[in-house]
Amino acid sequence: METAIIIRYCEIHLKGKNRGHFEKMLKENIKKSLKDIDFTFTTMHSRYLIENYDENDYDIIAEKLHKIAGVHTFSRAVVVDSTMDNILNAAKTLCEQKEGTFKVITNRADKTFTPGSMETSMFIGGKLLECYGGKLKVDVKNPSFALYIDIREDGKSFIYTDIEHGLSGMPVGSSGKGLLLISGGIDSPVAGYLTAKRGMKLDCLHFHSFPYTGEAAKEKVIELAKKVGEYNGGINLYVVSFTHIQEAIHKNCPEEFMITLMRRFMMRIAERLAIQQGDQAIITGESLGQVASQTIESITSSNSVVTLPVLRPLIAFDKLDIIEIARKIDTYETSILPYEDCCTVFLPKYPAIKPNLERVKRAESKLDVDALIDEAFLKVEKYVL
């Protein structure tokens, strides 16, 4: 039997006169993700169709569709010419291995097709009971599964039983471009995933503290960036050396402000790199109150040195909520590998939890901020993932 994959979107429906722009962007993102697979791509009202593909490629296609922001649901459907006999035969085939309760749901876009939607559902449901009455029963309120019949205007009908859920959200690239500060921890990859899901195309920035952090720590971050990139249509990772800045802070400034001053330098470097790469915002994995650098006072301090918007998608998340998402997107096991990142180097015994901004500025005045940042940009590694 001929099959097709029906792809549906959700939020794009709300875009009014701009809807076509978002539809086109999602279409291009799907085609780019599936570029190594042979298929025919067709646009149908509020849906896309993948046709003429090798059935052996379905699992690969499904895996990729699960990671494309903007895809709400998709289904593998049997495609037949719109006659009642063809629809019934397809329905029998799909239900042959099914057990339990069911109902039939018919969508009749072709209003010239007779009988109507309700009558079609009743007829097909009755025939299925005649054929499989020993193992199937009708339950229109809480069925084990539904049989869907979609009768289209072009004389074709799509019959299916399974609906798989995608990411939903908005197509990547539809909400601008941002720079994700990615560490080796649990939070920042989740923040990147959530931002990509809302349609923002991402670059990544990682701060490396060689020799205090080794190559294994950097490889860990590269792997995390790759995983985020699966939801982002690929990703660029920039690695900046941060050792000289940490050593300068450690040597010249009060220990209690070590983390606060590090964050201020990171934000300045991030803003400069973002502007260079055309990124419009900075994204962090901060969660309010989770650690000393994530109190409102610390956040105020780091925000005060940049003018670009700083997005914190995890700001109100509990740690367990973040871990749950990390497991879902397959970053958790990589994140907990025991390799230090730069934020664990030179940790003060008693960090300032609520740093006073004026005292922070006085401590920072002992450093040549511009020279330290210029030195950081002398060697920036780029990875295209």
Side-chain angles (χ1 to χ4, degrees), residues 39-311:
F39 64 93
T40 302
F41 195 93
T42 307
T43 300
M44 194 166 62
H45 180 65
S46 299
R47 297 168 174 83
Y48 303 112
L49 288 181
I50 293 175
E51 300 176 288
N52 302 316
Y53 63 95
D54 188 329
E55 283 290 336
N56 294 323
D57 289 333
Y58 177 76
D59 289 343
I60 298 172
I61 295 171
E63 180 183 0
K64 291 181 179 293
L65 290 178
H66 279 299
K67 295 179 178 180
I68 300 174
V71 172
H72 179 54
T73 60
F74 61 94
S75 301
R76 178 163 51 175
V78 174
V79 186
V80 298
D81 291 330
S82 296
T83 69
M84 192 64 83
D85 284 343
N86 289 340
I87 292 170
L88 177 58
N89 288 334
K92 286 180 178 179
T93 299
L94 288 174
C95 294
E96 188 174 7
Q97 304 299 322
K98 297 283 189 180
E99 294 183 0
T101 57
F102 78 102
K103 72 174 180 178
V104 180
I105 301 173
T106 301
N107 173 52
R108 190 173 57 104
D110 181 4
K111 301 306 180 184
T112 66
F113 181 90
T114 55
S117 299
M118 185 68 72
E119 292 81 5
T120 298
S121 294
M122 293 172 63
F123 175 79
I124 297 297
K127 291 296 183 181
L128 290 174
L129 284 177
E130 287 180 14
C131 189
Y132 303 121
K135 59 178 183 175
L136 292 179
K137 292 182 179 180
V138 171
D139 183 347
V140 296
K141 292 186 176 180
N142 189 30
S144 303
F145 72 95
L147 176 80
Y148 298 90
I149 301 169
D150 192 1
I151 303 169
R152 306 307 303 176
E153 299 94 328
D154 62 356
K156 295 288 185 179
S157 291
F158 301 87
I159 301 92
Y160 55 95
T161 58
D162 297 319
I163 296 177
E164 297 196 46
H165 288 270
L167 287 185
S168 293
M170 297 300 296
V172 167
S174 64
S175 298
K177 191 165 174 268
L179 181 65
L180 171 68
L181 302 188
I182 187 166
S183 69
I186 297 170
D187 299 346
S188 54
V190 174
Y193 157 77
L194 291 175
T195 309
K197 183 179 175 181
R198 293 308 308 157
M200 181 165 278
K201 181 69 175 175
L202 300 177
D203 291 320
C204 288
L205 169 60
H206 176 66
F207 296 98
H208 188 50
S209 297
F210 183 82
Y212 303 106
T213 57
E215 284 300 309
K218 185 163 69 173
E219 289 299 322
K220 171 184 173 180
V221 170
I222 291 172
E223 180 62 25
L224 288 172
K226 282 181 182 177
K227 289 182 180 294
V228 175
E230 293 176 4
Y231 301 93
N232 188 63
I235 208 160
N236 293 327
L237 169 66
Y238 299 90
V239 178
V240 171
S241 176
F242 203 63
T243 310
H244 64 290
I245 294 175
Q246 290 175 289
E247 290 176 337
I249 297 171
H250 183 67
K251 179 180 178 181
N252 297 290
C253 303
E255 181 186 36
E256 64 183 298
F257 292 134
M258 185 75 197
I259 295 175
T260 303
L261 295 174
M262 280 171 51
R263 296 295 297 179
R264 287 165 66 87
F265 272 94
M266 287 177 177
M267 297 298 276
R268 290 184 176 106
I269 292 170
E271 183 169 65
R272 184 186 292 191
L273 180 65
I275 292 170
Q276 289 177 0
Q277 302 305 322
D279 295 311
Q280 301 157 287
I282 299 166
I283 303 108
T284 80
E286 291 166 295
S287 172
L288 188 62
Q290 188 179 126
V291 296
S293 64
Q294 297 176 24
T295 62
I296 192 63
E297 291 83 1
S298 294
I299 289 172
T300 299
S301 172
S302 59
N303 271 17
S304 69
V305 299
V306 294
T307 57
L308 284 180
V310 181
L311 308 183

Side-chain angles (χ1 to χ4, degrees), residues 244-245 248-249 265 269 367-377:
H244 64 290
I245 294 175
I249 297 171
F265 272 94
I269 292 170
L367 304 170
D368 190 336
V369 173
D370 291 337
L372 289 169
I373 292 174
D374 289 341
E375 185 177 345
F377 275 88

